[in-house]
Amino acid sequence: MDKVKVGIIGCGTISPIYFEAGQKFDILDIVACADLDFARAQERAEQYGVKACTVDELLADKEIEIVINLTIPKAHADIHQKVLQAGKHSYGEKPLAVSLEDGRKVLSLAKEKQLRVGGAPDTFLGGGIQTARKLIDDGWIGSPVGATAFLVSPGPESWHPNPGFLYEEGAGPLFDMGPYYLTALVNLLGPIHRVTGSARITRPERIVTNPANYGAKIPVETPTHIAGVLDFESGAVGTLITSFDVWGSELPNIEIYGTLGTLSVPHPNFFGGSVKVKRYNQSEFMEVPLTHGFTENSRGLGVMDMAYAIRNGRPHRANGELCYHVLETMHGLLHASREGKHYLLESTCEQPEALPTDLPAHALNG
Ligand SMILES: NC(=O)c1ccc[n+]([C@@H]2O[C@H](COP(=O)([O-])OP(=O)(O)OC[C@H]3O[C@@H](n4cnc5c(N)ncnc54)[C@H](O)[C@@H]3O)[C@@H](O)[C@H]2O)c1
């Protein structure tokens, strides 16, 4: 199968794992990279043996079919639109856009141009969550009744060298980390119908403790503790808490409660992890061997799936509709908190097709 040539825009902290995806996944051929900060693009280009160029040069490169957009959230929608205008498929880091309006613009441009748009997270394609999905699909916990999902932490200012953007609109624990949890839940349970929630900003300013920028002050634009309720179209009821205000916790990552048992789902920010089940007639949780591969850090798996989908004319799994549905869910939670009432989602999406269990390493088979 012909390789798909790929360019990367945004050469910051997360970019190395995507460059590595180009070396690991046979169908991807990363040929060029660009960044507003040209020195960063040059550094990555040297490191990974690709061409450094400006954003415009990259977009003008006729050989490139997919662009991976690894810029900061506020730039995501603009770059997606530039990529689509340049006649290329666009795959980006989460979230799809900051505002719903921009998210819709990206989807409708992709439709108009008959190009694909998609994005992170792709961790739901990893062995951990695919195993959990298989257990649900095969009836191990009966019919899903409810779910809980918790992302609680003290915030990223201790480990991220430039954490300012993570407290801007379009980030915070909900928009930065929520996509992992919500995408995993939609993959496991299908789309969401309505949400409600409460949100607060706990500290209006945060202090960076990462040595790279120690002591820098960050203004906080977006809620840092958000508690939500999610009603799925299937009738299952989910609880989601995302917070950068918690010093410690023993909460699980994700649990799914079914009429016949409970499923313990691994951390949705990772590809592997431990999947456990406790059926109504068992006294304890039992660990289940993972049924699927891609259990190591496989970021870029969603891009590989998009590349195979382009070559084989099938839908790709980490697609724009899924990203937009997750974006609308997150906005809905904040909207419900502001308005004091449920938010009914306008969007929906297909539950992504489960991966087969017999895939070769580092490749998909269709
Ligand atoms: N850092 C992580 O561990 C991590 C993990 C998962 C996802 N992400 C996501 O990846 C994205 C990037 O995060 P990061 O941590 O790499 O950020 P970063 O600030 O380290 O890097 C972003 C890069 O994008 C460049 N950039 C910004 N706007 C641009 C534009 N308009 N045109 C070209 N280049 C532009 C910046 O110069 C910078 O080099 C974010 O959406 C983030 O949510 C990050």
Side-chain angles (χ1 to χ4, degrees):
M1 195 174 290
D2 270 359
K3 286 191 177 220
V4 174
K5 294 213 187 305
V6 177
I8 291 184
I9 301 182
C11 297
T13 313
I14 196 62
S15 64
I17 191 69
Y18 283 92
F19 282 100
E20 285 162 31
Q23 298 170 336
K24 225 169 24 188
F25 298 145
D26 283 353
I27 195 166
L28 302 179
D29 183 12
I30 299 180
V31 294
C33 65
D35 195 292
L36 274 184
D37 179 348
F38 190 64
R40 266 190 212 174
Q42 274 178 315
E43 200 182 312
R44 295 287 183 233
E46 266 170 41
Q47 207 176 342
Y48 294 101
V50 307
K51 181 176 66 181
C53 51
T54 65
V55 171
D56 286 345
E57 284 166 355
L58 190 145
L59 293 176
D61 185 332
K62 294 221 160 20
E63 280 194 335
I64 293 175
E65 286 182 71
I66 299 179
V67 173
I68 307 180
N69 172 4
L70 305 179
T71 60
I72 56 170
K74 277 187 173 168
H76 286 175
D78 181 48
I79 296 289
H80 276 309
Q81 289 175 87
K82 286 191 169 132
V83 170
L84 294 166
Q85 288 291 7
K88 303 178 188 312
H89 306 287
S90 197
Y91 182 97
E93 255 304 337
K94 38 79 193 166
L96 175 68
V98 172
S99 72
L100 286 177
E101 194 191 350
D102 281 350
R104 282 193 295 271
K105 278 189 199 159
V106 173
L107 291 196
S108 70
L109 185 60
K111 203 167 172 192
E112 183 195 318
K113 299 271 178 193
Q114 299 196 339
L115 290 165
R116 293 170 189 258
V117 64
D122 53 4
T123 40
F124 75 93
L125 299 173
I129 294 185
Q130 287 293 315
T131 299
R133 167 75 182 270
K134 180 157 177 55
L135 291 173
I136 295 176
D137 288 357
D138 290 353
W140 280 69
I141 61 163
S143 172
V145 173
T148 49
F150 302 110
L151 174 273
V152 294
S153 81
E157 57 269 41
S158 63
W159 63 267
H160 199 292
N162 307 301
F165 78 85
L166 291 165
Y167 288 96
E168 289 178 358
E169 200 193 333
L174 181 58
F175 285 75
D176 183 53
M177 294 303 290
Y180 294 106
Y181 291 78
L182 289 165
T183 307
L185 288 171
V186 171
N187 174 60
L188 295 172
L189 300 172
I192 295 163
H193 157 62
R194 70 169 189 174
V195 298
T196 192
S198 291
R200 55 176 270 163
I201 291 180
T202 299
R203 283 172 274 158
E205 193 174 77
R206 312 283 286 219
I207 312 285
V208 180
T209 51
N210 179 299
N213 266 308
Y214 193 88
K217 292 179 176 165
I218 308 175
V220 177
E221 280 181 10
T222 189
T224 51
H225 186 94
I226 304 100
V229 175
L230 319 164
D231 291 343
F232 289 83
E233 285 180 15
S234 69
V237 178
T239 306
L240 171 74
I241 296 181
T242 61
S243 182
F244 284 165
D245 293 332
V246 175
W247 292 111
S249 147
E250 295 182 337
L251 289 166
N253 298 306
I254 297 181
E255 288 181 342
I256 310 290
Y257 312 110
T259 50
L260 295 178
T262 294
L263 181 63
S264 170
V265 180
H267 199 305
N269 192 10
F270 300 108
F271 288 80
S274 156
V275 177
K276 291 191 249 171
V277 72
K278 180 179 181 302
R279 281 168 56 86
Y280 68 96
N281 55 357
Q282 291 171 321
S283 55
E284 287 178 12
F285 276 92
M286 293 183 73
E287 183 151 355
V288 179
L290 298 187
T291 52
H292 288 69
F294 300 110
T295 54
E296 73 293 353
N297 188 349
S298 304
R299 272 205 166 77
L301 183 49
V303 187
M304 169 160 77
D305 183 54
M306 184 189 260
Y308 274 94
I310 291 167
R311 289 288 179 264
N312 291 318
R314 62 156 173 87
H316 57 288
R317 293 174 172 86
N319 59 55
E321 284 70 26
L322 173 60
C323 297
Y324 182 81
H325 187 59
V326 165
L327 183 68
E328 192 189 7
T329 301
M330 299 188 295
H331 276 285
L333 288 166
L334 298 190
H335 186 274
S337 176
R338 280 193 307 271
E339 303 291 320
K341 59 180 186 203
H342 277 95
Y343 173 89
L344 290 184
L345 271 90
E346 287 173 3
S347 69
T348 185
C349 65
E350 298 282 328
Q351 187 177 17
E353 196 181 326
L355 284 174
T357 50
D358 58 351
L359 291 173
H362 307 316
L364 299 177
N365 61 0

